[in-house]
Amino acid sequence: MSNEPPPPGQPPEDDPLRKPPPQEPPPGGGGGPHGGGPYDTGGGSPYGGGPPGYGAADPLAGMPPLGDTGRRVLARFLDWLIIFVPLALIGIPLDIYNRVTEDDDLSAVWTANNDGGQWAFQAISIAAYLTYDTYMTAKRNGQTVGKKLMGLRVAMLNDGSVPPVSAALTRALVLWLPALICCACLWPLLLLILIIVDKPYKQGLHDKAARTVVVSAAQ
């Protein structure tokens, strides 16, 4: 194996989650019970052909099944809770919650009472969510704590590898930034609807922006 580093944007050759390259079928037929990988479907993908823009072959062929939507929602809730609890403790001395309860519109609180404490709290919140999601996705085999507990992982759509930092950051920005700045309720709901209706890869806008997909983690 060459000692030269892989080209920029390419996953390392020893990435344990990278989808193996296609192999010639054994004599006498395709993948059966005695041939092929653990996710071999006998020459066809359970998701059908890939849509325009992703190539003729299905990128998910040979990869684990797509992640269950219910598990994805629960995993996201757990991740939100993991970050929210420490932030709640930080917000108490800044008197954030007393000010929020004085106004029904959270966005109005930020604009009408934009003192240093609230701006600092908002900046800390954004940094916490983006750092957590980016680091866990890129450095922990595509698994946040919630995804690990739910048996899920984030993978690059083209080859199943762990997302690089650039893709993980893009995904985190689209996932969290609108919700933290202006659309705390509507943005998560929109992402959930898109995941439910998207075919064939169940991608939200954050997945489409980063070209990732959520699949079941190998057990």
Side-chain angles (χ1 to χ4, degrees), residues 1 59 61 74 82 112 169 188:
M1 180 182 296
L74 186 54
I82 287 171
L169 178 58

Side-chain angles (χ1 to χ4, degrees), residues 91-103 109 113 118:
I92 291 174
L94 296 177
D95 201 28
I96 296 298
Y97 304 105
N98 289 338
R99 297 173 186 180
V100 170
T101 56
E102 294 172 0
D103 198 312
V109 175
N113 301 315
Q118 287 180 318

Side-chain angles (χ1 to χ4, degrees), residues 10-20 138 141 153 156 159-164:
Q10 295 295 324
E13 294 182 3
D14 59 351
D15 185 343
L17 298 178
R18 184 176 183 178
K19 184 175 63 175
N141 293 337
R153 70 177 179 90
M156 295 304 296
D159 63 1
S161 62
V162 174

Side-chain angles (χ1 to χ4, degrees), residues 98-174:
N98 289 338
R99 297 173 186 180
V100 170
T101 56
E102 294 172 0
D103 198 312
D104 293 333
D105 186 356
L106 180 59
S107 61
V109 175
W110 292 118
T111 56
N113 301 315
N114 55 353
D115 57 68
Q118 287 180 318
W119 283 119
F121 182 77
Q122 188 177 31
I124 292 172
S125 299
I126 292 173
Y129 281 97
L130 295 184
T131 300
Y132 170 84
D133 215 277
T134 301
Y135 175 80
M136 298 299 288
T137 299
K139 302 300 183 180
R140 289 293 182 266
N141 293 337
Q143 291 182 304
T144 60
V145 173
K147 283 187 172 59
K148 187 175 183 64
L149 291 175
M150 291 296 104
L152 304 170
R153 70 177 179 90
V154 181
M156 295 304 296
L157 178 61
N158 62 329
D159 63 1
S161 62
V162 174
V165 173
S166 59
L169 178 58
T170 298
R171 192 175 190 275
L173 285 169
V174 178

